[in-house]
Amino acid sequence: MRTDKERPIGVFDSGIGGLTVLREITRLLPSENTIYLGDTARVPYGNKSKDTVARYSLEIADFLVRKGVKMIVVACNTASAFGLAELRKKLAIPVIGVIEPGAKAAVKATRSNKVGVIGTEGTIKSSAYVSAIKTLNPDITTNTAACPLFVPLAEEGWIDNEVTTAVAKRYLTGLMNLSIDTLVLGCTHYPVLKETISMVVGPSVTLIDSAASTAEETKTTLADKGILNDNKTAGGHFFYVTDSPERFVAVGRRFFGERLEGVEITHLDTL
Ligand code: DGL
C-alpha cells in the first residue's frame, strides 16, 4: 500500500513550459514521485480569459486528484494568476502557484525597490505580480510588460539568435528606462531565453526565475504537512498531455533538461 508520503506531487501547465518548474522540483526533491499534466490541446493560456483559464485549471486539478496526488503545483503563471484562488477554495490538498514564490524572490533581491515583471498578456493584465509584491513590500514600485512572442521563440528553440535579441530589445527597453534592478521572468518559457534577456538588460539587473523558488515552496509545504517523501530511492515521473505526445517529447527536452519517458495522452474526461 502506498503511504501518503509516497503519493505523487501533481504539477500542471498549459503545455511544456511548466517542465522548467518540474525540473527544479525533481532536483531539490529527488525522492518525490510526480505526475505532470501539459494541456497541449488548449495551449496557449496566455491570451485567454480568466474564466476559461480558471475552468481549465479546475478540470486538470480534478484529473490530478483522481490520480491520487498529495499536493498540486500550478506550474503556469497564467493559470496561477487566474485559477489559483478557485483551486484553493475547492481542493482539500495543498495548492501552490508560481507567482507568490517569484514575488518573494524579487522582493528579496531588489536594492532599488524598482522591480520589472514580464509575462503573458493574461498574467500582466491580472496584476497578480504587482499585488503580490505590494503585499510583501508596499515601498516597491513594480512595472510590467507583456512579451507574448517569447513563448513561440522558446518553443522553436530560437534561444539566442538575432531575431530573439531584437524582440527582447523591443519588449524590454521601456522597463530598462525605468531603472529596474530586478526582473521577474513571469512566464514558464522565459527561463529558456535567460541568456538573451540577460544580455539585453545587462549585468546590473537580477533575473528572477520563479522555478527555483517554487521548488523551495513545494518542499516547505510538504514539510509543514508532514508528507515529504523520506524514501531514499529516486522518485518516478509520469507525464500526461492532452494532445501530441511526440511534440511534447521533442520540445520538452529543452525545458526539462533530459529526455521525457512515459508520456501518455489523456482527454481529462471533460474535453
Ligand atoms: N505557461 C504559460 C505561462 O507561464 C505560458 C504559455 C501559455 O501562454 O500558455 O504563463
Side-chain angles (χ1 to χ4, degrees):
M1 257 277 288
R2 193 165 62 170
T3 66
D4 259 5
K5 292 181 176 183
E6 287 163 347
R7 283 162 57 201
I9 301 170
V11 180
F12 81 86
D13 176 46
S14 55
I16 53 175
L19 291 170
T20 56
V21 179
L22 182 68
R23 182 179 54 189
E24 294 303 324
I25 293 175
T26 56
R27 267 188 198 155
L28 187 67
L29 301 167
S31 311
E32 293 292 340
N33 299 303
T34 64
I35 297 184
Y36 181 94
L37 185 296
D39 194 4
T40 46
R42 302 188 290 193
V43 68
Y45 284 7
N47 54 11
K48 293 195 170 70
S49 71
K50 176 176 182 187
D51 285 356
T52 298
V53 174
R55 177 164 53 85
Y56 290 174
S57 303
L58 280 171
E59 288 169 6
I60 294 167
D62 199 46
F63 170 84
L64 291 171
V65 167
R66 278 186 273 126
K67 292 277 171 207
V69 300
K70 60 181 174 182
M71 84 171 277
I72 289 181
V73 179
V74 184
C76 171
N77 288 262
T78 313
S80 298
F82 286 156
L84 188 65
E86 197 89 348
L87 292 180
R88 282 185 168 154
K89 234 188 283 159
K90 297 227 161 113
L91 301 183
I93 53 171
V95 187
I96 67 165
V98 285
I99 292 184
E100 282 164 31
K104 262 190 219 165
V107 168
K108 216 164 145 192
T110 183
R111 296 283 162 262
S112 67
N113 281 355
K114 287 186 183 143
V115 171
V117 177
I118 52 176
T120 64
E121 257 174 67
T123 299
I124 297 308
K125 251 194 237 152
S126 76
S127 298
Y129 272 104
V130 177
S131 316
I133 293 171
K134 191 137 232 81
T135 306
L136 293 167
N137 183 348
D139 295 333
I140 295 178
T141 308
T142 306
N143 286 284
T144 62
C147 306
L149 289 175
F150 280 170
V151 169
L153 287 170
E155 292 204 5
E156 198 59 31
W158 288 21
I159 310 292
D160 54 3
N161 66 21
E162 67 289 358
V163 175
T164 308
T165 306
V167 170
K169 279 188 181 149
R170 180 89 177 245
Y171 280 145
L172 301 172
T173 304
L175 285 178
M176 295 317 297
N177 289 341
L178 297 166
S179 315
I180 57 164
D181 72 347
T182 303
L183 180 65
V184 181
L185 307 178
C187 173
T188 50
H189 284 62
Y190 301 176
V192 173
L193 304 176
K194 213 170 184 172
E195 275 174 32
T196 299
I197 295 172
S198 172
M199 191 185 74
V200 169
V201 297
S204 61
V205 176
T206 307
L207 298 186
I208 305 292
D209 163 359
S210 47
S213 27
T214 303
E216 290 288 347
E217 188 94 5
T218 305
K219 186 175 179 186
T220 310
T221 306
L222 291 175
D224 286 351
K225 301 277 175 201
I227 49 173
L228 261 176
N229 192 359
D230 33 33
N231 282 351
K232 291 285 169 271
T233 46
H237 307 297
F238 295 92
F239 300 90
Y240 290 93
V241 289
T242 51
D243 191 23
S244 192
E246 311 73 36
R247 181 177 155 81
F248 183 80
V249 171
V251 182
R253 188 183 192 131
R254 198 173 312 123
F255 288 72
F256 193 54
E258 51 190 273
R259 199 184 141 73
L260 303 167
E261 306 284 353
V263 180
E264 280 180 35
I265 191 153
T266 173
H267 297 295
L268 296 176
D269 297 346
T270 48
L271 285 175

